[in-house]
Amino acid sequence: MVKLKEQGAAPRLFLDDLHVGQFFASGTHPLDEAQILAFAQAFDPQPFHLDDAAARTTLFGGLAASGWHTAAVTMRLQVESGLPFEGGIIGAGGEISWPRPTRPGDILRVESEVLEITPSRSRPDRGMAVVRSETKNQRDEVLQVLVAKLVLPRRAAD
Amino acid sequence: MVKLKEQGAAPRLFLDDLHVGQFFASGTHPLDEAQILAFAQAFDPQPFHLDDAAARTTLFGGLAASGWHTAAVTMRLQVESGLPFEGGIIGAGGEISWPRPTRPGDILRVESEVLEITPSRSRPDRGMAVVRSETKNQRDEVLQVLVAKLVLPRRAAD
């Protein structure tokens, strides 16, 4: 199954194939209350992620997904349809922010732009790309901004 | 059950109760291969998070947890035993890095230090604390560093 999928997929990109300003768009992921509650129970069991009535009395004003849930769904979208990078998506770190809460019923997608490309000085087989990704909902509201440092392989020299 | 737990818990801290340099330590969370695979299947389905043999041929050199899994477990530790903040742990964003991979068998815990405390100018009932948290394993190796901006309530004026 994996093999068939790989055969039909677009070629994967090395660091050398990227350019600053390059844009990528992912598919979509509909997020419902059941997913929000399951993630919160496992990893972020706070009232505003677990119970809509309790959430109404907090800063969130209603049930909201954990920011880490938004980050995790973003990663799934990037892996499946967002960033077709050779060797996968390997992050060394980055800056993350959540400008507004992710709500039940939001349909998430990710738009990404390459900001920087830096070949490694010490390792000629790899380099770093800085990629800024906005996770948006179906109303184009930005739920998360992640500026990530990603490690990519380079094409072998001729 | 929640009520009993709350009755026995230490008092929760407002922004006014924090000081720069204040230290917090969480309990521990043992991470096994089953947890790593389950998270990866749900949110980060890449070979180095799903299959030890495949992972050995990658930069990771063996099965590693998704960085977002390390972040999610860190959040659970902070909520349950790390940061006893009034109103819960509400993050606006932050900087995250993963200096080394999280491995099956790692026992995670979090050490946190308050770096900055900034009352809101426009809203006297709240403010921002910058908290630096290191997620470590049982060998004191740092797996994740998160410098988070957290929103905390202030005590009501007399």
Side-chain angles (χ1 to χ4, degrees):
Chain A
M1 294 290 277
V2 169
K3 204 163 188 182
L4 279 175
K5 191 181 171 193
E6 283 179 354
Q7 284 176 342
R12 299 259 143 188
L13 304 177
F14 290 76
L15 189 77
D16 315 75
D17 303 320
L18 299 184
H19 61 266
V20 171
Q22 196 163 358
F23 179 84
F24 300 92
S26 79
T28 59
H29 180 98
L31 202 65
D32 59 21
E33 181 167 318
Q35 294 171 60
I36 289 174
L37 299 184
F39 188 96
Q41 280 155 6
F43 298 113
D44 196 348
Q46 302 195 87
F48 34 78
H49 302 319
L50 288 170
D51 184 83
D52 186 55
R56 292 189 184 281
T57 68
T58 70
L59 280 186
F60 290 99
L63 191 69
S66 170
W68 303 111
H69 192 189
T70 302
V73 170
T74 297
M75 188 66 193
R76 172 142 203 154
L77 287 167
Q78 296 289 51
V79 168
E80 289 192 330
S81 57
L83 300 177
F85 292 172
E86 177 66 28
I89 304 172
I90 301 177
E95 288 181 36
I96 195 166
S97 63
W98 298 286
R100 70 172 60 221
T102 300
R103 304 290 190 183
D106 277 356
I107 301 171
L108 275 56
R109 63 193 170 81
V110 190
E111 294 180 354
S112 302
E113 184 185 356
V114 177
L115 297 187
E116 294 176 33
I117 302 165
T118 312
S120 169
R121 291 184 192 182
S122 56
R123 314 200 63 156
D125 63 339
R126 69 184 69 163
M128 189 86 79
V130 177
V131 177
R132 183 180 190 279
S133 298
E134 292 188 344
T135 306
K136 296 181 175 179
N137 66 13
Q138 69 279 18
R139 290 180 299 279
D140 287 339
E141 296 167 334
V142 179
L143 308 173
Q144 177 182 288
V145 180
L146 173 64
V147 180
K149 296 176 191 168
L150 303 177
V151 181
L152 270 83
R154 302 196 62 186
R155 290 190 183 278
D158 289 334
Chain B
M1 293 287 280
V2 169
K3 204 162 188 181
L4 278 173
K5 193 181 171 194
E6 284 179 352
Q7 284 176 343
R12 300 259 142 187
L13 303 177
F14 289 76
L15 188 78
D16 315 76
D17 302 320
L18 299 185
H19 60 267
V20 171
Q22 194 164 357
F23 179 84
F24 300 92
S26 79
T28 58
H29 180 97
L31 203 65
D32 60 22
E33 183 168 316
Q35 293 171 60
I36 289 174
L37 299 184
F39 188 96
Q41 282 156 5
F43 298 114
D44 195 349
Q46 302 194 87
F48 35 77
H49 302 319
L50 287 170
D51 182 83
D52 186 55
R56 291 188 185 282
T57 69
T58 70
L59 280 185
F60 289 100
L63 190 70
S66 170
W68 302 110
H69 192 189
T70 302
V73 170
T74 297
M75 188 65 194
R76 171 142 203 154
L77 287 167
Q78 295 289 51
V79 168
E80 289 192 330
S81 58
L83 299 177
F85 293 171
E86 178 66 27
I89 304 173
I90 300 177
E95 289 181 35
I96 195 166
S97 64
W98 299 284
R100 70 172 60 221
T102 300
R103 303 291 191 182
D106 276 356
I107 301 171
L108 275 55
R109 64 195 170 78
V110 190
E111 294 179 356
S112 302
E113 184 185 356
V114 177
L115 298 188
E116 295 176 32
I117 302 164
T118 311
S120 169
R121 291 182 192 182
S122 56
R123 314 203 59 157
D125 63 339
R126 68 184 69 163
M128 189 85 81
V130 176
V131 177
R132 184 181 190 280
S133 298
E134 291 188 345
T135 306
K136 296 182 175 178
N137 66 13
Q138 69 279 17
R139 289 181 299 280
D140 287 339
E141 295 166 336
V142 178
L143 308 173
Q144 177 182 289
V145 179
L146 173 65
V147 179
K149 296 176 192 169
L150 304 176
V151 180
L152 271 83
R154 301 196 64 185
R155 289 189 182 279
D158 289 334

